[in-house]
């Protein structure tokens, strides 16, 4: 079977991280969440964490120079041999191009881009719920507004970009976690059979 390279796309709060976590556990593939990696660096107060902090707290994207090399290093690790799940990367077309170029050099490609979407109010309510539960510093109302703006301007264009490459799959993320996961699993089953 070909290497499974799966990309999770969708606005903040849509629930893609939850779906990616479940799928990674089921498929026994690494779940690479750039947001989690940056949060870990922030917590450990590393040089990268200190550089990323101001962007994250403002709801803006960490510069591509820092993000792309981080992901390229990670996907080159031995545990990524059979495949991996990218959650939160790419976040703009430039990152998408960098990934495409790096994969081409290794004779690989993105298997599928899985796009999760829901009406804006659903997303805003979910983030408010997560803020109460997890207390993420970037889940404050002002930062959330900025993150959604950044999503619309920079990340949204990746949806047609992957569609043009014939690898886009769209999911209505309004349902329950279980229902959406069932749909996701059936898509992945088809992809694995291809
Ligand atoms: P997330 O947990 O995916 O919502 O990411 C939290 C924050 O980390 C984002 O608001 C960005 O500041 C930063 N971040 C995560 N992934 C990326 C990426 N691929 N490119 C740039 N910044 C990112």
């Amino acid at each position: 079977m070909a290497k499974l390279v799966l990309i999770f796309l969708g606005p903040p709060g849509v629930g893609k991280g939850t779906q990616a976590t479940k799928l990674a556990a089921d498929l026994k593939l690494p779940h690479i969440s750039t947001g989690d990696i940056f949060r870990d660096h922030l917590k450990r107060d590393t040089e990268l964490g200190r550089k990323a902090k101001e962007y994250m707290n403002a709801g803006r994207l960490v510069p591509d120079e820092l993000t792309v090399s981080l992901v390229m290093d990670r996907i080159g690790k031995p545990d990524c041999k059979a495949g991996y799940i990218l959650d939160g990367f790419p976040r703009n077309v430039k990152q998408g191009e960098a990934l495409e170029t790096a994969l081409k050099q290794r004779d690989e490609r993105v298997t599928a881009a899985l796009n999760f979407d829901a009406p804006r109010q659903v997303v805003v309510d979910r983030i408010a719920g997560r803020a109460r539960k997890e207390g993420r510093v970037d889940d404050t109302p002002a930062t959330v507004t900025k993150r959604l703006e950044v999503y619309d301007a920079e990340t949204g264009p990746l949806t047609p970009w992957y569609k043009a490459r014939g690898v886009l799959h769209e999911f209505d993320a309004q349902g329950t976690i279980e229902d959406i996961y069932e749909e996701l699993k059936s898509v992945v089953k088809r992809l694995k059979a291809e």
Side-chain angles (χ1 to χ4, degrees):
M1 197 195 65
K3 184 166 181 166
L4 264 190
V5 177
L6 302 176
I7 291 180
F8 278 62
L9 294 173
V14 80
K16 65 183 186 305
T18 305
Q19 298 292 330
T21 303
K22 279 168 83 72
L23 189 67
D26 270 359
L27 296 178
K28 299 189 175 54
L29 291 179
H31 171 204
I32 304 170
S33 155
T34 40
D36 282 351
I37 296 173
F38 284 133
R39 276 185 289 280
D40 177 58
H41 277 272
L42 231 74
K43 213 165 61 199
R44 292 188 288 119
D45 197 28
T46 65
E47 199 188 330
L48 177 62
R50 286 193 291 276
K51 282 184 186 158
K53 190 175 181 172
E54 56 168 314
Y55 298 99
M56 293 177 77
N57 287 349
R60 293 165 52 208
L61 294 185
V62 177
D64 292 339
E65 307 86 80
L66 299 176
T67 311
V68 171
S69 56
L70 181 85
V71 174
M72 295 310 139
D73 280 355
R74 181 65 189 89
I75 65 177
K77 294 259 156 49
D79 65 337
C80 290
K81 268 218 165 73
Y84 46 87
I85 288 174
L86 285 173
D87 168 12
F89 182 93
R91 210 58 163 239
N92 58 31
V93 170
K94 225 170 143 211
Q95 292 181 6
E97 285 168 350
L99 177 66
E100 189 175 60
T101 305
L103 292 181
K104 256 190 198 145
Q105 280 163 3
R106 305 176 198 182
D107 214 15
E108 293 174 5
R109 63 180 202 78
V110 167
T111 314
L114 310 160
N115 186 51
F116 294 81
D117 210 0
R120 197 45 60 94
Q121 194 55 47
V122 172
V123 163
V124 169
D125 290 346
R126 282 188 188 164
I127 301 180
R130 180 170 74 185
R132 283 192 295 274
K133 263 200 348 230
E134 296 175 18
R136 261 176 63 162
V137 288
D138 60 347
D139 276 345
T140 60
T143 315
V144 168
T145 304
K146 182 68 192 167
R147 283 162 63 213
L148 288 167
E149 257 175 51
V150 168
Y151 170 79
D152 288 338
E154 302 198 41
T155 314
L158 277 170
T159 308
W161 194 80
Y162 276 118
K163 190 169 188 174
R165 281 155 176 73
V167 294
L168 186 74
H169 297 263
E170 305 203 60
F171 296 89
D172 178 353
Q174 285 183 87
T176 65
I177 291 175
E178 291 72 25
D179 287 349
I180 298 162
Y181 190 59
E182 281 310 308
E183 213 187 313
L184 173 61
K185 264 202 322 205
S186 74
V187 168
V188 171
K189 199 172 160 192
R190 284 205 304 276
L191 290 170
K192 283 173 81 176
E194 275 170 9

